[in-house]
Amino acid sequence: MLRNAGLWPWYPASYRPRAVQPRGDLAADEQSTIEIFRTAAPSVVHITSMSLQRDWLTRNLLRIPEGTGTGFVWDEAGHIVTNYHVVAAGSSFQVTLSDNTRWRARIVGGEPEKDLAVLKIDVPPNKLRPIPLGTSADLQVGQKVFAIGNPFGLDHTLTTGVISGLGREIPSQGGGTIDGVIQTDAAINPGNSGGPLLDSAGRLIGVNTAIYSPSGAYAGIGFAVPADTVNEIVPQLIQYGRAQRAVLGVGLFEDEMAQRVFGVEEGAVIAKVYNQEAAFEAGLRPPYWGEDGTLHFDVITAVDGKVIRRAQDVAKVLEGKKPGETVSVTLLRDGQEVTVSITLMPLRQPLR
């Protein structure tokens, strides 16, 4: 008892707990980071994607977890923004809020070309805190950024870093590319997908979507869809269920096929012209054999004066244009240059 009280004269000091040294106030940048997390964390949610499978013994349908990801509260109506690839394989979804309450969610819309999707939960507005929205238009390399997500199921994990690059291009879930992507060294791991990337004011500047890593784990390079793209696409998904992309109404051959079959080094070879679409009305043609045995085909070489060198360039030129706008399309047809005007039409596609 005397030893426990520290009164035994020869009781070694190393046997007793050491005194705690006062640390003083937190550094200003630490206080700022803590405040950013405290403010933004209630807006971040955990998403579980599930699929239906039948038990071969009981023949009952079971909900099997398909994967997890992150999302964030967009508005008080219960719309949740996440990545398209987080929900693409699921048939039902569960959203866990910051207070650990779980809510069944339904998909409202998705845009694979931007890797964005919107879910909806029916929750009292007072349980929802929409994330503050910033802009990606004035970002600079070197700015501090903060990522909040659920990597490996560890909910509300905060990682920090800087903007490492701007204007990057990454493959999209729809087979095209996402332009203007933000590159960051803030740690982004499996489960972070769909979570917010924040600036030092705690505003949303991007949606974490992908990492570059040979192993699949964090390797210092992460990517986020810019906030201005998110702010353009999400309202369309809420209203229409899909992005209102303007299209010509044609299918294009892949560049390798265009070169191998048609000998076209530059330009986009038209593979199909959809009936009742804009290109059909303008007289664009798919490949066909003439009576003399000659293969005829149209090659798009420019749209609104912008040179088309490969098939993906067509979608890039149409980026930001609206259905109903008119564009000038330059074609190479049987060795002759032809220019036609086409009124763009909305893309007709399923919700998912």
Side-chain angles (χ1 to χ4, degrees):
M1 185 171 181
L2 290 175
R3 291 185 180 184
N4 289 340
L7 301 178
W8 197 263
W10 46 264
Y11 190 62
S14 59
Y15 285 11
R16 301 191 299 271
R18 292 185 56 190
V20 175
Q21 184 74 23
R23 63 144 289 137
D25 295 334
L26 293 172
D29 64 328
E30 291 178 305
Q31 294 179 22
S32 175
T33 299
I34 291 170
E35 183 58 29
I36 288 171
F37 179 77
R38 284 177 176 170
T39 301
S43 303
V44 180
V45 304
H46 186 199
I47 297 172
T48 303
S49 175
M50 292 170 286
S51 63
L52 291 177
Q53 296 184 18
R54 190 176 297 278
D55 187 291
W56 67 278
L57 284 176
T58 65
R59 310 302 297 170
N60 292 332
L61 283 174
L62 304 175
R63 283 191 174 90
I64 306 298
E66 193 72 36
T68 62
T70 305
F72 54 88
V73 178
W74 181 257
D75 56 28
E76 292 184 348
H79 292 110
I80 306 295
V81 175
T82 186
N83 284 147
Y84 180 85
H85 75 261
V86 170
V87 300
S91 58
S92 61
F93 312 96
Q94 179 178 271
V95 169
T96 304
L97 299 178
S98 61
D99 61 3
N100 289 322
T101 58
R102 299 177 181 178
W103 303 84
R104 184 169 294 182
R106 65 183 185 275
I107 190 163
V108 171
E111 171 53 291
E113 291 297 343
K114 300 300 181 185
D115 199 16
L116 293 171
V118 176
L119 299 174
K120 176 77 162 58
I121 55 176
D122 295 319
V123 180
N126 61 3
K127 292 183 68 68
L128 299 172
R129 184 183 295 183
I131 201 160
L133 180 64
T135 178
S136 52
D138 56 2
L139 298 178
Q140 299 182 60
V141 174
Q143 276 187 239
K144 286 184 178 181
V145 290
F146 307 84
I148 304 178
N150 305 293
F152 305 107
L154 301 171
D155 66 294
H156 289 84
T157 296
L158 172 70
T159 56
T160 65
V162 298
I163 294 176
S164 307
L166 295 167
R168 302 305 194 204
E169 182 180 286
I170 62 173
S172 73
Q173 294 292 305
T177 58
I178 307 175
D179 299 322
V181 171
I182 303 165
Q183 179 186 333
T184 178
D185 67 348
I188 298 174
N189 285 294
N192 271 108
S193 292
L197 187 69
L198 309 171
D199 64 7
S200 56
R203 306 177 308 161
L204 177 79
I205 58 169
V207 178
N208 301 318
T209 187
I211 59 173
Y212 177 80
S213 170
S215 66
Y218 171 67
I221 300 177
F223 300 103
V225 179
D228 290 352
T229 298
V230 178
N231 200 24
E232 177 187 358
I233 298 298
V234 167
Q236 297 178 27
L237 298 183
I238 293 173
Q239 184 174 359
Y240 303 108
R242 59 177 180 265
Q244 296 296 286
R245 286 191 283 133
V247 295
L248 295 174
V250 299
L252 303 173
F253 284 106
E254 293 183 358
D255 297 327
E256 182 182 352
M257 177 74 73
Q259 182 177 353
R260 188 173 71 248
V261 176
F262 301 95
V264 174
E265 299 287 342
E266 286 192 359
V269 180
I270 295 176
K272 184 176 182 179
V273 178
Y274 296 99
N275 289 335
Q276 309 306 316
E277 293 286 358
F280 177 82
E281 301 295 335
L284 272 62
R285 307 181 309 194
Y288 69 95
W289 291 99
E291 293 181 358
D292 58 355
T294 303
L295 179 61
H296 301 270
F297 54 91
D298 286 350
V299 183
I300 299 176
T301 58
V303 176
D304 272 354
K306 296 181 180 178
V307 176
I308 302 298
R309 302 189 185 281
R310 53 179 185 160
Q312 288 186 350
D313 290 344
V314 175
K316 290 182 179 180
V317 172
L318 297 180
E319 187 87 27
K321 294 188 179 298
K322 306 296 183 184
E325 292 184 23
T326 300
V327 296
S328 173
V329 178
T330 303
L331 306 169
L332 190 62
R333 175 182 291 171
D334 300 330
Q336 301 294 319
E337 188 173 276
V338 179
T339 300
V340 297
S341 293
I342 297 180
T343 301
L344 300 175
M345 300 183 70
L347 175 65
R348 295 183 176 91
Q349 64 179 14
L351 187 67
R352 299 175 60 195

